Amino acid sequence: MSHLRFKAVEEASKRKAVEVTAPADKTSDYFGKYVFDRNTMRKYLSKETLKLVLNAIDKGEPLDRQVANHVAAGMRMWAMEMGVTHYTHWFHPLTDGTAEKHDAFVDFDGSGGMIEEFSGKLLAQQEPDASSFPSGGIRNTFEARGYTAWDASSPAFIIDGTLCIPTVFISYTGEALDYKTPLLKSIGAVDKAAVDVCHYFDRNVKKVFSYLGWEQEYFLVDEALFAARPDLILTERTLMGHESSKNQQLEDHYFGSIPSRVSAFMRDLEYECYKLSIPVKTRHNEVAPNQFELAPIFEECNLAVDHNLLLMSTMKKVASRHYFRVLLHEKPFKGINGSGKHNNWSLGTDIGVNLLSPGKNALQNLQFITFVSNVLMAVYKNNALLKASISSATNAHRLGANEAPPAIISVFMGSQVSDLLDELEASRELKDIEVKEKTGTRLSLNYIPEILVDNTDRNRTSPFAFTGNRFEFRAVGSSANCAAAMLALNTAVAGQLIEFKKEVDRLIESGMKKEEAIFTMVRKNIKESKPIRFDGNGYSDEWKVEAAKRGLDCETRVPVIYDAYLTGQSVDLFAETGVLTERELHARNEVKWEQYTKKIQIEARVLGDLAMNHIIPVATRYQALLLENAAKIKLLYDEGKALKIAKQDLAIIEDIAEHLDFIKTKTDEMIEARKVANKIENEREKALVYCEKIAPYFDEIRYHIDKLELIVDDEMWTLPKYRELLFIR
């Protein structure tokens, strides 16, 4: 075993759970400790200022700079009492991560001294360098001005002695350079469109919220083993490595007893999350070894997205205290489950009605089926767009592999709801809609309580599944910013609801009764969207053929999938809802293509480096030892007996030579192909070449490296193996 690998394995094997001192208080006592939430605002803002801020958050009323001054004064007072020295605008550039620039609470007092200062101007707006972030050509290198602006709907919070203020990020010319700006616009669009449709059923509805409950899957790896794998360090996935003899085939990790080291990490992480108002609730082992999941209580969509991004950075900090590294890559290990971020999405009114939950009477059920059928229609018409919203170089490894859904968007409704939809489609006249409530079932054991059975099952292969009172967008990748998928979904549903209302109003104006007009359009949506409904096995080859027949988008090349953003239908949808302009869409696609290219490019470089500087030298040294052994045997015995004795060594020598020749040849070819691709100026064309011409080399080269791993002396192999990486003790 190489010195570095041996040291890493030895260090990892000696790890013990880091003791975490549990807080003496109840969770509710320290929940939101580091957040400038409503309770904190009541203490530090005047009643009038608080009222104006809450009206802005709850009713969308504008905030002027004078109010911002009062908020800034209260926010600074609170922050400094908490030991804060700096502040930053915290935003979501087009990188799937977050960005921040810290400034101190200081200014000159005019007399040679310093004073603490934080004005409404500094709270409301700042000016980061817009040319240094991905912009897709909206900003040139010499055009640096961009603006961040305070998002009052997401509360400020404290991280490591810095006050973080959630903001949007726009260019000097007004285009969105982030995920939050279009997300907020999509939330506003679906709110307005849904309220208009709700008024058919209840005029008291003033607002509709989009809710999100994400489920964050992730892997943990001991930091010593992580440090001995350059591919994990630079790409967050293993570009080589033969599968372990034991991985997930016994199905013993899922929901199993959480290892003590991991449990200590989870408790520490939850404590940090609660102080930041992240309402984490569920934790468990996932299917693959070293894979885990964390999920919160549902929140308003914008806040949920902020909390997920904050969680991803927090969990990495906490993991380091426990000598772990968190892997958020969708497929860090080949041959076992990858990680997703299931986005559970729903719509709810300000009077407490879940629009995707069955009601207690015929009118409520008509409202329920109205919104369900419009979501189905939105997903059907925009299935290519929704797939583009979750596609990336990293998520492409996961989709369709093991338990992840395939790269074809379909909707699972469950037999009961599907039967209801079919019944309504076949109906020729308005009828009362009945949705069965949960039914009870008992085992033949009296001491087991009655089990309530939901009105829909679950389908693990469905990328977009109805789960009783919400839709679960299961195809979102674990490293992604949830906003990308949510803004596409909100916009698609908003556009569909707008169209639905126009058609219903037209029918009413023609003399049809309101309920009949609604029912007519519901039936039309159910019938037209039927191709998107699929309750079967999404992994089957038959489904791929069937999906193509149904007209669903079956493209698997990520750079081509991104084209869905730029179709006439998508451009019109985003423009009509006011979420993104055509210029912004083109710019975002330029960023997506460029990021795809760079990620594949980095992996190609890392793979080439490891192949030439780790694998080939090690295999060659082992081959030399075998040759030396064969030569010594030849000196001791006659030729016939020597050949017989050294037969096994000679076969291995030849086997190694064949693998080495293939690795060297294909690595050289990959390098040359990359040089050709790098000269292409068009970002889409370059990304497509990387997808079709360069990425295929990865599996070819890996196959032969993994075969060498099984042949070469274990003590000589330099990289920690899967059996060492995947089992935390």
Side-chain angles (χ1 to χ4, degrees):
M1 188 182 293
S2 71
H3 176 68
L4 180 60
R5 176 176 159 224
F6 175 78
K7 184 178 179 181
V9 172
E10 182 181 42
E11 192 172 331
S13 67
K14 292 180 179 178
R15 301 281 197 217
K16 303 294 182 183
V18 176
E19 291 298 325
V20 179
T21 304
D25 301 329
K26 302 191 300 293
T27 301
S28 56
D29 291 334
Y30 57 84
F31 186 81
K33 177 182 179 180
Y34 292 138
V35 180
F36 197 68
D37 56 16
R38 295 180 186 226
N39 289 331
T40 306
M41 284 193 284
R42 289 187 182 95
K43 298 176 184 177
Y44 290 88
L45 302 182
S46 68
K47 289 184 178 179
E48 183 59 30
T49 300
L50 177 63
K51 180 181 178 182
L52 292 171
V53 172
L54 295 183
N55 283 344
I57 296 171
D58 298 333
K59 301 177 182 179
E61 295 180 2
L63 278 174
D64 60 33
R65 288 298 179 96
Q66 193 60 37
V67 175
N69 281 329
H70 293 308
V71 174
M75 195 179 286
R76 178 177 65 82
M77 185 184 302
W78 166 73
M80 292 185 67
E81 288 179 8
M82 299 291 289
V84 170
T85 58
H86 290 69
Y87 64 91
T88 181
H89 276 199
W90 183 82
F91 56 100
H92 314 178
L94 299 176
T95 59
D96 279 339
T98 58
E100 52 197 67
K101 173 178 69 74
H102 299 192
D103 288 302
F105 283 134
V106 295
D107 201 354
F108 286 115
D109 64 359
S111 303
M114 302 291 286
I115 58 172
E116 286 77 21
E117 185 206 35
F118 183 56
S119 65
K121 178 182 177 181
L122 296 174
L123 167 65
Q125 179 179 321
Q126 288 190 23
E127 186 182 317
D129 188 341
S131 67
S132 297
F133 291 99
S135 70
I138 284 179
R139 305 301 289 158
N140 294 310
T141 303
F142 58 86
E143 296 173 318
R145 197 180 296 276
Y147 299 114
T148 51
W150 174 37
D151 171 19
S153 67
S154 187
F157 53 90
I158 296 171
I159 291 285
D160 295 334
T162 298
L163 175 66
C164 300
I165 302 156
T167 60
V168 299
F169 180 38
I170 61 173
S171 72
Y172 178 73
T173 48
E175 291 91 358
L177 296 176
D178 65 346
Y179 283 109
K180 183 183 274 285
T181 301
L183 175 66
L184 290 171
K185 289 181 178 180
S186 76
I187 290 170
V190 78
D191 168 26
K192 183 179 185 308
V195 166
D196 288 345
V197 173
C198 281
H199 284 171
Y200 289 136
F201 307 95
D202 189 341
R203 301 294 300 183
N204 294 316
V205 175
K206 299 289 192 299
K207 190 173 182 62
V208 169
F209 300 91
S210 56
Y211 292 102
L212 169 62
W214 38 262
E215 303 170 25
Q216 181 69 60
E217 295 175 342
Y218 61 96
F219 280 84
L220 288 176
V221 176
D222 187 275
E223 68 174 9
L225 297 169
F226 176 89
R229 290 286 308 221
D231 49 354
L232 280 179
I233 294 172
L234 298 174
T235 72
E236 225 180 66
R237 83 176 179 105
T238 52
L239 298 174
M240 57 196 65
H242 197 280
E243 68 178 44
S244 172
S245 300
K246 177 187 181 296
N247 46 53
Q248 66 185 46
Q249 67 265 46
L250 293 180
E251 300 172 338
D252 56 344
H253 188 67
Y254 189 53
F255 278 23
S257 177
I258 300 172
S260 58
R261 281 187 65 197
V262 178
S263 182
F265 157 75
M266 288 178 168
R267 292 196 303 273
D268 199 2
L269 175 61
E270 287 172 352
Y271 179 52
E272 296 298 331
C273 285
Y274 291 143
K275 289 188 291 185
L276 293 167
S277 289
I278 306 173
V280 293
K281 183 176 178 66
T282 302
R283 67 188 187 200
H284 63 83
N285 289 2
E286 256 300 334
V287 174
N290 280 25
Q291 188 186 32
F292 308 94
E293 181 178 298
L294 178 150
I297 299 170
F298 274 62
E299 296 182 283
E300 182 276 324
C301 190
N302 176 46
L303 185 58
V305 169
D306 279 358
H307 278 167
N308 182 248
L309 289 169
L310 185 52
L311 168 88
M312 289 195 289
S313 60
T314 301
M315 68 196 312
K316 290 181 178 181
K317 292 178 182 178
V318 174
S320 67
R321 298 205 290 255
H322 296 260
Y323 306 102
F324 284 128
R325 289 300 180 107
V326 171
L327 302 181
L328 294 175
H329 192 289
E330 284 74 11
K331 199 73 172 179
F333 301 103
K334 187 176 181 180
I336 59 176
N337 282 12
S339 296
K341 180 150 48 193
H342 306 164
N343 280 205
N344 294 276
W345 172 88
S346 62
L347 296 173
T349 70
D350 57 341
I351 57 176
V353 176
N354 183 342
L355 297 173
L356 299 179
S357 184
K360 298 184 181 301
N361 56 51
L363 184 63
Q364 291 175 350
N365 281 331
L366 179 58
Q367 178 176 265
F368 159 70
I369 212 69
T370 292
F371 278 92
V372 166
S373 65
N374 274 291
V375 172
L376 284 171
M377 195 65 180
V379 176
Y380 172 57
K381 291 195 298 188
N382 298 282
N383 70 94
L385 173 64
L386 292 176
K387 183 164 73 175
S389 76
I390 55 88
S391 292
S392 66
T394 54
N395 205 21
H397 294 289
R398 166 181 167 261
L399 295 179
N402 294 80
E403 68 93 30
I408 302 171
I409 300 296
S410 63
V411 181
F412 168 83
M413 294 302 298
S415 58
Q416 185 182 142
V417 180
S418 290
D419 289 346
L420 173 61
L421 294 173
D422 291 340
E423 182 183 340
L424 294 176
E425 180 190 350
S427 177
R428 295 182 178 275
E429 58 185 23
L430 178 64
K431 59 178 290 184
D432 288 347
I433 299 171
E434 294 184 12
V435 182
K436 294 180 182 178
E437 296 183 359
K438 291 184 178 182
T439 57
T441 184
R442 283 193 177 276
L443 302 178
S444 58
L445 299 170
N446 292 334
Y447 47 82
I448 301 296
E450 183 180 40
I451 297 172
L452 295 179
V453 180
D454 288 279
N455 58 20
T456 178
D457 198 352
R458 291 183 180 270
N459 187 323
R460 311 300 280 182
T461 70
S462 175
F464 199 89
F466 183 67
T467 56
N469 59 4
R470 63 190 183 274
F471 283 94
E472 184 179 14
F473 200 176
R474 295 177 53 82
V476 183
S478 54
S479 67
N481 185 329
C482 298
M486 290 298 96
L487 75 88
L489 179 57
N490 282 335
T491 303
V493 172
Q496 174 56 33
L497 289 173
I498 291 169
E499 185 176 329
F500 175 82
K501 187 176 186 302
K502 286 180 181 177
E503 290 300 310
V504 170
D505 288 348
R506 182 182 61 79
L507 292 175
I508 294 173
E509 290 170 3
S510 69
M512 191 178 288
K513 291 182 179 180
K514 181 179 70 174
E515 285 76 12
E516 290 180 351
I518 293 171
F519 191 72
T520 298
M521 290 308 301
V522 164
R523 287 181 59 243
K524 180 175 181 290
N525 284 347
I526 292 172
K527 183 177 182 179
E528 290 186 10
S529 65
K530 200 166 186 176
I532 202 68
R533 286 161 46 199
F534 178 66
D535 288 0
N537 180 9
Y539 292 157
S540 68
D541 291 333
E542 291 81 5
W543 166 235
K544 295 176 184 177
V545 175
E546 174 64 22
K549 289 181 180 178
R550 295 187 185 191
L552 304 183
D553 189 281
C554 299
E555 181 61 62
T556 58
R557 295 168 297 171
V558 172
V560 179
I561 290 173
Y562 289 150
D563 291 346
Y565 277 106
L566 303 179
T567 63
Q569 177 179 302
S570 293
V571 170
D572 290 343
L573 171 67
F574 281 107
E576 289 168 3
T577 53
V579 175
L580 287 165
T581 65
E582 184 172 1
R583 175 176 162 85
E584 288 171 323
L585 286 170
H586 278 279
R588 283 162 187 269
N589 262 32
E590 289 292 309
V591 172
K592 288 178 181 293
W593 285 319
E594 184 180 14
Q595 285 186 333
Y596 179 89
T597 295
K598 288 179 177 178
K599 286 183 178 180
I600 303 298
Q601 185 182 70
I602 290 169
E603 289 190 350
R605 287 174 173 171
V606 173
L607 178 59
D609 174 59
L610 290 177
M612 302 303 292
N613 296 307
H614 280 254
I615 307 305
I616 290 179
V618 169
T620 302
R621 283 201 298 272
Y622 182 59
Q623 187 182 47
L625 287 177
L626 294 175
L627 285 167
E628 182 181 348
N629 186 57
K632 290 178 179 178
I633 290 172
K634 188 176 181 180
L635 292 175
L636 291 173
Y637 302 98
D638 61 68
E639 185 174 351
K641 191 169 184 179
L643 285 174
K644 186 176 181 181
I645 295 173
K647 183 179 180 181
Q648 183 177 350
D649 283 355
L650 293 173
I652 295 174
I653 290 167
E654 187 175 342
D655 205 8
I656 291 174
E658 290 177 359
H659 290 305
L660 289 176
D661 179 62
F662 188 95
I663 292 168
K664 178 67 168 62
T665 300
K666 291 299 179 180
T667 299
D668 288 343
E669 289 179 9
M670 180 179 68
I671 292 170
E672 291 304 311
R674 203 174 71 235
K675 290 178 181 178
V676 173
N678 290 342
K679 295 177 182 178
I680 300 172
E681 294 185 2
N682 181 276
E683 291 295 349
R684 181 186 183 278
E685 184 182 342
K686 184 190 294 186
L688 194 55
V689 170
Y690 263 91
C691 174
E692 295 179 337
K693 304 294 185 182
I694 296 169
Y697 280 109
F698 295 177
D699 283 340
E700 293 181 25
I701 295 171
R702 177 179 188 146
Y703 173 83
H704 290 270
I705 291 176
D706 290 354
K707 288 296 183 183
L708 284 176
E709 183 183 317
L710 296 178
I711 297 171
V712 173
D713 184 352
D714 184 65
E715 291 190 3
M716 298 179 67
W717 198 256
T718 60
L719 304 175
K721 298 182 177 182
Y722 272 25
R723 67 170 185 258
E724 296 154 354
L725 288 166
L726 282 173
F727 298 94
I728 294 172
R729 293 167 178 81

